[in-house]
Amino acid sequence: MEKQREMDWCVSMPKIELHAHLNGSIRGSTLLELARGLGEKGTIVFSEVEHAILNSDRSLHEVFKLFDLIHIVTTDHTIVTRITREVVEDFAADNVVYLELRTTPKRNDLKGMTKQSYIEAVLKGLSDVATVDVDLACQDLSTKNSVDSCAISNLCDGTTRKKIYVRLLLSIDRRESTESAMETVKLALAMRHLGVAGIDLSGNPIVGKWETFLPALKFAREEDLPITLHCGEVPNPVEIQAMLDFLPRRIGHACCFGEEEWRMLKSYKIPVEICLTSNIRTETISSLDVHHFADLYNAEHPIVLCTDDSGVFSTSLSGEYSLASSTFGLGRIEMFRLAQKAIEFVFADDAVKGELRQMFDSAARKLNL
Ligand code: 6MZ
């Protein structure tokens, strides 16, 4: 009962999500429905896949096998559009007021999909959201572009309905080549006015080399495109140090840091996107009582709670706050302040930050904080 009350309170509070992978946030019911459809067509064996989807205890290795499966199921423009719409609606229903959604642009010649058309399908999904107003870099949406501008103009009509700011980060997958990573950065730059706000480096941490992605990441930096890196999901001191020395705007996870890496991180004050449930499920952290959240929180190091893959790990951002509260003894004011501090780490511009500050101030008054 008490637990449910705290969860309800976490839902009622405005929140900022900065580390959510689009395809990892897919609704479980949608994934099963799509997989069943492919089973009927004989593309996959549904009974085998069903087991992989429903089994919630997965090691990091198994999670990446599941992503391969999810990508088989989601290789269509219309499906990408549907998933995007549902994911944004789910975050909005959880009172997320600012969402940075990251996704890896995919090319699929069989479906006539290019990296650009993939992102256009994502943008179409944002314009299809019906339950909430989506703010997507409004000021420039009127400019003619390859996306149906009529379809998205209604997102910025200034109504007083519930609103969610959405920005996209384009992910470079660690399996990609230097050229492919560069293509993603160039695409992000070309689509900046459509709500693309930055670059992420993600994918299976035991695959690929930092040097492969460095030219594209350096180019992004030269062009003022903010960067976040998945860093230290597995022990790899050389790579972790190189990543920290690169001074990304944020990093994700930081699970396998040694003493020297903690020292560097703290001295550089790089904000960390923390995904508690994901870290436990993938066993990159053995248990919550040894999770680095506590140390970073007590050291007042910049951190933000995030979901990572809310569909794959059956969680929500409110669930992550509730978990942090029950594990680390955070009270309501502390949780609210933690959510509010994330405003300073978003990749959107100062105008959006200003509006988020006002939203949080007014929520604080309503919640009597
Ligand atoms: C590293 C992860 C991840 O891009 O198809 N991804 N990369 N560590 C994680 N921790 C568990 N969770 C998700 O979303 C799925 C992709 O996001 C990355 C992987 O590259 C995965 O294939 P998109 O929308």
Side-chain angles (χ1 to χ4, degrees), residues 19 21-24 60 63-64 67-68 71 102-104 106 118 171 173 175 202-205 230 233 253 278 282 308-309 313:
H19 188 133
H21 298 271
L22 174 62
N23 282 302
L60 195 59
V63 162
F64 284 101
F67 281 127
D68 286 342
H71 291 147
R102 54 186 78 189
T103 192
T104 322
K106 294 167 189 71
Y118 175 89
S171 300
D173 187 307
R175 288 175 292 195
S202 55
N204 192 337
H230 280 61
E233 269 189 293
H253 297 301
S278 163
T282 57
D308 205 7
D309 300 292
F313 300 123

Side-chain angles (χ1 to χ4, degrees), residues 291-319:
H291 197 284
H292 44 289
F293 174 93
D295 176 56
L296 294 177
Y297 184 81
N298 292 331
E300 295 186 17
H301 186 84
I303 49 177
V304 50
L305 282 178
C306 303
T307 54
D308 205 7
D309 300 292
S310 54
V312 167
F313 300 123
S314 309
T315 188
S316 64
L317 194 51
S318 298

